[in-house]
Each structure stands twice: as C-alpha cells, then as structure tokens.
Amino acid sequence: MESEKLSEGRVVAFIDIGTNSVRLLLVRINPNGSYKPLTKQKESVRLGDKEFIDRILQPEAMQRAVIVCKKFVELARAYGAEEVIAVATSATRDASNKVQFLEMLKSEANLEVCPISGIEEARLIYLGVSSGLRLGDSRALLIDIGGGSTEVSVGGDKQYYFLHSFNLGAIRLTNMFLPDETGPVSMARYRLIKAHVRRKSMLVIKELSRYRINCAMGSSGTIENLARIAFVYLHKTGQENYDRLGYEDLKTIVRDLCALPLEERRKFPGINSQRADIIIAGAAIIETLMEEMGLSEIRISKRGLREGLLVDYLSKSEFSYMITQMSVRKRSIMQLGLACHFDEEHAHTVTRLALELFDSAQALGIYEFEKGERELLEYGATLHDIGKFLSYDKHQAHAYHIIRESSLPGFQPEEIEIIANLAYFHRKGTPKKKHPNLAGLEKSSVKSVRILAALLRIAEGLDRSHTGIISHVRFYISSTDTVVLEMHARKECQLELWELEKHKKFFTKIFGYNLQYKMIIEQGAVPFSTLEEEPELEST
C-alpha cells in the first residue's frame, strides 16, 4: 500500500488464509491514528489436508476455504470495510494448483489474495507478536507453528535481526508420519518425527545460537492449545490466561497424548478437539526446538500474522511514527487516549509537570521511589482524564474502568491496575488498602498509587485552566520539615493556585513535608506561603 492519509477514518479487514485456519481481523482506523478492533474471527478449514505429498490442494479443502473467505468478506462489507487485505501462506504457496485456488477466491468470494513467501510470513508474524511485547534492548526468539510451516525470528522492540521459515508444520508432518492414524502413537514413531524436525532445523538452530536471546515467545493455535492443556490437565486450573508452556510440562503432555487413540485424544482435558489429530506432530516441532535451544519455557502470545498485517498497514500510513518512534507501551497508552478523544494538549502538559515534580522530588531525596514508578506516573497522567469521553460527572471512575478493561499491550496486569487507580485518584479520595479498587493489589502497588497520586494531583491542578500557563516546576527544601514548590508561569494564575491549596494536606500526609510555594512570573518573583480562606473550586 502506498503512503496515504487516513483523513476520514476507515474500516479495514485483514485476512490470513493459513494451512489449517482462516483468520479475520476487522479494524476501524480513526483519523487521529487510533484504531479499534471490531471483530476477530477464526475458522478451521484444513486447506492443507492431504496436500503435502503431491503438492495439490484438494477440491474439498479449497471449497471450504472459499466458503469461509466469502463469509468473512461479506462480514467486512457489512461493517463498511473499504479495503480487504488478504494473504495466503504455506499451503497455497507450495501448491502446484494455487492459480486455480486464487481464481476461485476471486470469482466466488470476490477476494484478491496475495500468496506470501515464508520469509515474508516470518516478518509479518514478528511485527504482530512484537507489537504486544515490551522488549526494550532485549532480544526475543519468536516461534510460530502453523499447519504447513514454522516461522522463527529474532528481534527487539524496533527491528528484527533474523527471519526464517521451515517446511515443518502440524498438518504437513501429520500427513508424512501419521497418515490416517486413529490409534495410539508409539514413542518410537514420535521420536521419528522429532528426528526429522532436528535434521531440517539443524543449520538454522546453529545460526540462532549466535544471538543473545533474552526470552522465547510462541504463537499459533498449536502452541496456544498445548499451553492450555498444561494449565488444565497438569495444573488443574480452568483459567484462560495460560501465558507460558514449560518444557517438562510439554514432555508429560506428549507422553499422555500419544498413549491415547484419536477419539480418546479428542476428550483430553484442555484440548481443542479439532486439533487432536495434528497436535502430536505440532508438539514434536516445539519440543525439538526447545530441546535444541535449551529453552525451559516459552511465553505465549495470542498475536500473529493478522496483527502483523495491521502493523504493516499502519507503518505505510501517515501514522507510521506510532510504529517506528514509539515503544509498545507508549503506543498502547496513546492509542487508548486517542480512541477516547482525550484533550491531548492538557494530557501532555499534566504529564510534563508530573514528571518534573517526580524528578525534582527524587533529586532532593525526599522520597525513595521504586524502579518503574516514573513511567507509570507518566502513563497515569496521560490517561487521567479519558473518562470525560463518557461523561464529565465521575469521569475519574469512568477512566478507571476504561483503563482496566482495555487491552494495553506491553503491560503487566498489576501495572494496568496502578495506572487505572492513578486516574481514579487524580482528583480526590484517599488511596487506602481497604478501598475496593485497591483490595486485590500488592502492598507495594498500593504504596505506588498513594505516592504517585499525590504528585499527579498537584500536576493536574497546575493546569486547571487547560491553558498550559505553568511552564516549569521544581521542589527545593527550605527547612527540615518544609518543601517549597517553585513554579514558573507566563502570567498570573490564581485558578491554579487555588487548586494547589486543595492538595497541600495530602502532599504532607504522603511525603511528611509541609508544602509552600513560590510563583515566578516572567522577570519578577511573587512569593506565596499560604492562601487563606480562598473560595473553593471543584477540582478535576
């Protein structure tokens, strides 16, 4: 797609035609660069069924895929989609009759499809998975096991360093080693599959050993399902947040799955019954890779190629700076703020002031902050007012719920809770452990909310008029029990000073220092110590 302006917003559909499943991601991209997923759909079609022996897509399989693609196109059009971007992967690119299949998709489903290479598939998967990771300077190994191929990549927040695609997939290896297998799978047969995987991947594994890898991530239905089985079958939990797969767990699962005939395998705790016939071959791929690379566990990502298509699309639009210049976490925060039509200028002003207060307090040593608190204050300040998107009344409560219920890629659940509570307590109220919002948080997290909320209240009050009148702030110590807040302003700002008065007592309670302040206006300085009996205004 050529670079273009999304001046009026648009709905775009992304379709991934895989060897096992067809996936749809439907997104509304707003004029400000934020986007909202409208729906995600996935249908198993087994396009690669019985293909990999003679490289011919079977008529029944092609027809199943065409029917699902037609349904997805109709759904996209019903949402008003202006563009439908569709790619096809291993089963299609390897098929000798792929032209026939592509023509069927065009004529029967009204869908233009681009078959992509294995390297391009690996690149798009990297974009999709890494868009939800906070990697920083770390490097991650990404593994995606599909029906016909397995893609691996090594990358960080901003770029990839290695891409590769193997002709190793759950359906491909099932067709090769377990054709029409309905009984138990012997461990000898399973070891044969692993030996094949080892031979095919040996040179690439040697290449991967050159990279310093900090973590391993797995994506795709096969890896997700194996992780779910581990949680349900071994750890006896029904929770859906299965976020990792351990090597020892995997070995136990494989042994027990192989011992069962297919029909019994379909009933195995946690298994997706539609994957029961191919899960053993898929497990052989990931177990072999984990063995050869010495991985004790892999973390699970529910992102993949279709999310990569979205990231790739945005990177070629006028909003590419969000992809190329922002971290995953900053992008998550800005996307949510923009989606809620926040007052961006006010948010930036409050954030700037809050961070100046934090840095000044830290430099003076009036409080020993924990690692990461500055960043959480930044994001809480950015989103503190997004509740006005719903209503001004109780907007702090609306902001709290919006943040908690939003998907914020790159953040841990406890961090999201802290950010949400900073928005909730940015106006008033005492963040006590017994407060319903804080009842489930760690003691350290409650402490972070209390400390950071005290700074955020002052910062927000210093832009009460939403005019950015305060240009700079800093603390300095005037006596053993008193801190002075020095404020540089472009002109008189009585409204902001009234607001500041409201938060002095809370500051003293949290930090243990009395708070006084001094205003510097242009070239002159006007000292203030207290403001007595000023009329009280409603704070925001």
Side-chain angles (χ1 to χ4, degrees):
M1 186 192 80
E2 294 182 359
S3 179
E4 60 181 42
K5 291 192 174 182
L6 307 174
S7 56
E8 299 179 359
R10 64 181 62 204
V11 176
V12 183
F14 303 96
I15 297 177
D16 163 20
I17 303 173
T19 301
N20 185 54
S21 304
V22 179
R23 292 174 169 85
L24 166 71
L25 173 61
L26 197 60
V27 176
R28 179 180 299 281
I29 302 174
N30 299 314
N32 58 18
S34 66
Y35 61 84
K36 177 184 179 182
L38 301 176
T39 186
K40 291 184 178 182
Q41 301 286 329
K42 174 184 170 184
E43 294 283 351
S44 176
V45 297
R46 288 291 173 91
L47 179 60
D49 195 29
K50 296 182 172 63
E51 174 206 357
F52 295 110
I53 304 301
D54 54 14
R55 296 179 58 242
I56 297 176
L57 293 170
Q58 301 301 304
E60 299 85 357
M62 289 192 290
Q63 195 58 51
R64 289 194 299 269
V66 168
I67 290 171
V68 169
C69 286
K70 183 178 181 180
K71 181 178 77 171
F72 284 173
V73 170
E74 289 173 351
L75 179 62
R77 298 304 182 195
Y79 273 92
E82 299 176 35
E83 293 182 80
V84 179
I85 297 170
V87 298
T89 58
S90 180
T92 303
R93 67 173 169 257
D94 290 350
S96 59
N97 61 337
K98 68 181 175 184
V99 173
Q100 176 190 351
F101 177 53
L102 296 174
E103 288 177 348
M104 287 176 64
L105 288 166
K106 185 175 181 179
S107 62
E108 297 181 37
N110 193 28
L111 182 63
E112 293 271 5
V113 177
C114 174
I116 58 175
S117 68
I119 295 299
E120 175 64 0
E121 184 177 357
R123 185 186 76 88
L124 290 170
I125 291 169
Y126 159 77
L127 290 178
V129 175
S130 66
S131 69
L133 296 178
R134 181 195 184 191
L135 293 174
D137 296 328
S138 300
R139 292 185 181 182
L141 169 67
L142 310 181
I143 304 171
D144 185 282
I145 299 176
S149 63
T150 292
E151 280 65 46
V152 295
S153 60
V154 176
D157 262 346
K158 296 289 192 299
Q159 68 179 98
Y160 56 82
Y161 305 99
F162 179 85
L163 301 172
H164 189 79
S165 178
F166 303 101
N167 280 334
L168 299 169
I171 293 178
R172 185 189 294 267
L173 295 190
T174 299
N175 288 349
M176 290 175 63
F177 293 94
L178 303 169
D180 303 316
E181 182 67 70
T182 58
V185 176
S186 70
M187 292 310 295
R189 180 67 62 87
Y190 182 74
R191 286 192 292 270
L192 193 64
I193 302 173
K194 287 181 63 182
H196 176 77
V197 175
R198 191 173 291 109
R199 284 194 303 272
K200 290 286 187 180
S201 60
M202 189 180 304
L203 292 177
V204 171
I205 289 173
K206 184 177 180 180
E207 178 72 15
L208 286 170
S209 67
R210 297 172 49 212
Y211 295 92
R212 180 176 58 82
I213 293 170
N214 304 94
C215 67
M217 300 293 304
S219 59
S220 79
T222 293
I223 294 179
E224 281 186 48
N225 197 204
L226 287 167
R228 184 172 189 271
I229 292 170
F231 270 71
V232 175
Y233 177 60
L234 297 179
H235 303 293
K236 310 300 182 185
T237 175
Q239 71 180 63
E240 290 299 310
N241 188 27
Y242 36 92
D243 60 353
R244 60 197 66 233
L245 174 63
Y247 173 67
E248 294 299 329
D249 285 351
L250 178 59
K251 288 202 302 182
T252 302
I253 291 168
V254 166
R255 181 192 64 210
D256 294 350
L257 284 171
C258 285
L260 298 175
L262 179 58
E263 287 309 309
E264 290 300 311
R265 214 181 300 146
R266 294 190 195 278
K267 304 171 187 175
F268 201 81
I271 200 169
N272 176 349
S273 61
Q274 292 182 317
R275 290 187 176 275
D277 57 335
I278 63 172
I279 194 107
I280 289 175
I285 299 170
I286 190 61
E287 184 181 344
T288 304
L289 293 177
M290 291 181 77
E291 277 178 0
E292 295 301 313
M293 300 199 66
L295 303 175
S296 60
E297 70 172 20
I298 54 174
R299 292 162 53 195
I300 306 302
S301 172
K302 295 189 177 182
R303 292 170 174 256
L305 192 150
R306 60 182 169 180
E307 287 77 17
L309 288 170
L310 169 61
V311 173
D312 193 55
Y313 183 92
L314 291 173
S315 72
K316 297 171 184 175
S317 75
E318 65 174 297
F319 303 111
S320 61
Y321 69 93
M322 288 193 178
I323 305 298
T324 60
Q325 298 177 26
M326 289 185 183
S327 68
V328 170
R329 286 154 74 94
K330 185 63 174 288
R331 187 162 65 242
S332 296
I333 295 298
M334 285 302 296
Q335 284 284 349
L336 180 56
L338 291 168
C340 294
H341 303 289
F342 73 151
D343 183 338
E344 192 169 351
E345 186 173 349
H346 173 62
H348 287 327
T349 298
V350 172
T351 300
R352 173 177 55 79
L353 295 173
L355 294 182
E356 286 187 0
L357 292 172
F358 181 99
D359 293 341
S360 181
Q362 187 174 53
L364 288 176
I366 67 173
Y367 183 78
E368 189 173 338
F369 294 100
E370 297 295 327
K371 181 181 179 181
E373 286 184 329
R374 186 182 192 276
E375 186 184 17
L376 295 177
L377 173 61
E378 175 185 355
Y379 299 145
T382 301
L383 297 180
H384 76 279
D385 265 352
I386 63 170
K388 292 180 180 178
F389 172 65
L390 296 177
S391 168
Y392 180 84
D393 294 335
K394 297 182 179 179
H395 68 266
Q396 72 275 16
H398 298 317
Y400 168 76
H401 290 293
I402 291 171
I403 295 167
R404 287 189 77 234
E405 299 303 320
S406 296
S407 172
L408 291 177
F411 290 93
Q412 297 299 316
E414 194 85 357
E415 293 176 315
I416 294 174
E417 289 288 344
I418 292 173
I419 294 170
N421 277 291
L422 287 178
Y424 185 87
F425 290 107
H426 85 268
R427 299 178 68 193
K428 55 187 178 181
T430 303
K432 295 181 179 179
K433 178 67 177 176
K434 64 182 180 180
H435 193 284
N437 288 11
L438 305 174
L441 293 186
E442 297 286 341
K443 186 177 180 180
S444 60
S445 296
V446 175
K447 191 175 181 181
S448 292
V449 171
R450 288 169 59 83
I451 294 295
L452 300 180
L455 298 178
L456 178 55
R457 287 183 185 184
I458 293 174
E460 211 281 338
L462 293 180
D463 196 39
R464 180 66 175 86
S465 59
H466 288 224
T467 58
I469 197 170
I470 305 292
S471 60
H472 175 66
V473 293
R474 74 178 182 97
F475 291 119
Y476 65 85
I477 297 175
S478 65
S479 66
T480 56
D481 64 350
T482 302
V483 168
V484 176
L485 174 60
E486 180 181 284
M487 298 167 285
H488 294 247
R490 298 183 178 91
K491 60 181 180 179
E492 290 284 353
C493 50
Q494 200 70 16
L495 188 60
E496 277 71 19
L497 296 178
W498 285 340
E499 283 297 311
L500 182 56
E501 272 296 304
K502 296 179 182 180
H503 304 307
K504 286 172 58 178
K505 187 179 293 186
F506 187 59
F507 178 91
T508 300
K509 182 177 181 180
I510 296 300
F511 290 99
Y513 286 87
N514 294 319
L515 181 65
Q516 296 182 351
Y517 43 92
K518 180 175 74 172
M519 178 69 67
I520 297 177
I521 303 174
E522 296 181 344
Q523 301 301 318
V526 181
F528 292 88
S529 57
T530 58
L531 295 174
E532 297 181 358
E533 298 182 359
E534 295 287 3
E536 187 161 313
L537 300 177
E538 182 180 355
S539 62
T540 60

